[in-house]
Amino acid sequence: MKNYPVILVLLVIILSACGNPAPEFGQWNKAADNLAFPEGPAWHDNGILYYSNCHGGWIGYIKGAAADTFLVADSVSFIRTNGMTVGKDGNIYTCEYGIGKIIKITPEGKISDLVTEYEGESFNRPNDLAFDKNGNLWFTDPKGYGEDVYDGRVFCYDFSAGRAVLAADSLSFPNGIAFSPDDGDLFVCESGRARILRFEVSPGGKLSQKTEFIKLPGGDPDGIAFDIFGNLYAAHYGGKTIYVISPFGEILRKVETPGKNPSNLEFAGEDLKTLYITEDETNSVYFTDVTIPGVKLFGGPAN
């Protein structure tokens, strides 16, 4: 049995008895449009939300009411990017799926490779990534798509060793990835099977005790994020929905999105009570107010 902090155990007991609080959502507002398959929003404490314009070949940013281009693909540094997150060093770590690598971008726009290969080969299609509390960077690496196609992987990058370790394989298009607020478990969307998986994290960058946390048919669970109560928010691509799921796998809220293909989501703002989504039917970025703040990410500079 895990040794959870006493406060967390008490919180779980209270929530079990009283029910987990469900957030309220405001209206959706458009922050950027005329995009080409936006993905991977990442909030920086410099007040900027970065995102990938996947099929457009550039990375954009949103600051206040302004939205513009941050970096343009050059066929060497990157071709197409997807998921992004911000590290404690203030740099933006990005999945590059056009070449098959993970890159690091400074807020000034300087690009460098973080990791480009595993056992001598480039990665397949790095999709999304998240830091754990020890500073390791985890990322999903899908390849083929289909309910019976199990060629997807999850990697853990150890900064001290300077290499990626294979943490899990034989997954059906692993997609969004996030750690529970206490870092007790890793959650991965297995989009090819329309479900979200839960793993225990073992020493040395290995995952064990794989279980199905929840199945969400009628679309693909894509990007995910947690609020401070441990509720999991899931963008349901093809389902026109953001699901809010309790730590016990119960659906607390089903929120309709402006288009049928919400892909990724991110809590933003000083109080982390603004929720951004990328949406790939309308090819836009939207935001709304929520009543429960998102959890501070382990890698974020504000942490």
Side-chain angles (χ1 to χ4, degrees):
M1 183 177 178
K2 299 173 185 172
N3 295 317
Y4 289 113
V6 173
I7 293 177
L8 179 62
V9 173
L10 291 175
L11 178 62
V12 171
I13 292 173
I14 292 171
L15 293 177
S16 298
C18 303
N20 223 39
E24 297 295 332
F25 284 65
Q27 293 183 337
W28 292 109
N29 303 281
K30 188 178 292 184
D33 58 10
N34 296 316
L35 305 175
F37 213 88
E39 291 261 10
W43 171 252
H44 199 293
D45 67 352
N46 62 8
I48 295 177
L49 183 94
Y50 300 92
Y51 64 91
S52 293
N53 189 35
C54 299
H55 295 171
W58 50 270
I59 296 171
Y61 76 88
I62 297 166
K63 185 172 185 179
D68 209 338
T69 303
F70 176 52
L71 289 170
V72 177
D74 60 10
S75 77
V76 176
S77 298
F78 74 92
I79 298 175
R80 290 183 174 182
T81 62
N82 198 317
M84 299 190 288
T85 192
V86 178
K88 289 191 177 192
D89 55 9
N91 293 315
I92 305 134
Y93 292 85
T94 306
C95 290
E96 203 292 333
Y97 72 95
I99 299 172
K101 59 183 179 178
I102 305 297
I103 60 177
K104 180 175 73 173
I105 306 171
T106 69
E108 296 75 33
K110 182 180 179 180
I111 305 171
S112 58
D113 290 341
L114 179 70
V115 57
T116 61
E117 63 177 27
Y118 174 70
E119 295 186 341
E121 295 185 359
S122 60
F123 298 100
N124 295 319
R125 297 166 62 187
N127 186 285
D128 200 6
L129 66 180
F131 281 97
D132 67 22
K133 68 177 181 180
N134 297 315
N136 301 308
L137 184 63
W138 298 69
F139 60 96
T140 53
D141 186 38
K143 188 177 181 182
Y145 182 87
E147 185 176 357
D148 299 318
V149 178
Y150 297 99
D151 53 11
R153 306 174 292 184
V154 175
F155 288 93
C156 174
Y157 180 78
D158 183 337
F159 281 81
S160 59
R163 64 186 180 90
V165 175
L166 180 63
D169 59 8
S170 301
L171 298 175
S172 180
F173 206 91
N175 201 329
I177 184 170
F179 282 92
S180 57
D182 67 327
D183 194 25
D185 295 296
L186 180 67
F187 289 71
V188 176
C189 292
E190 193 178 27
S191 295
R193 301 199 67 194
R195 63 180 184 171
I196 301 174
L197 299 175
R198 183 183 206 158
F199 295 88
E200 290 188 8
V201 182
S202 303
K206 294 293 183 180
L207 299 177
S208 61
Q209 301 298 318
K210 181 177 77 174
T211 58
E212 182 180 284
F213 177 63
I214 193 169
K215 193 171 182 69
L216 298 171
D220 295 347
D222 198 329
I224 50 178
F226 283 95
D227 70 20
I228 60 170
F229 290 113
N231 299 318
L232 182 64
Y233 295 56
H236 200 211
Y237 188 94
K240 198 178 173 62
T241 299
I242 300 296
Y243 282 102
V244 182
I245 307 156
S246 81
F248 316 105
E250 302 163 341
I251 295 175
L252 300 176
R253 187 79 76 223
K254 182 179 179 182
V255 180
E256 185 174 321
T257 55
K260 70 177 183 180
N261 295 329
S263 53
N264 287 167
L265 43 75
E266 177 84 334
F267 287 98
E270 290 186 7
D271 58 3
L272 295 179
K273 293 175 73 174
T274 301
L275 184 70
Y276 280 86
I277 66 165
T278 48
E279 202 289 310
D280 297 332
E281 181 186 32
T282 62
N283 282 305
S284 300
V285 179
Y286 299 89
F287 67 94
T288 186
D289 296 327
V290 289
T291 54
I292 298 177
V295 68
K296 289 184 179 180
L297 300 180
F298 290 120
N303 217 7

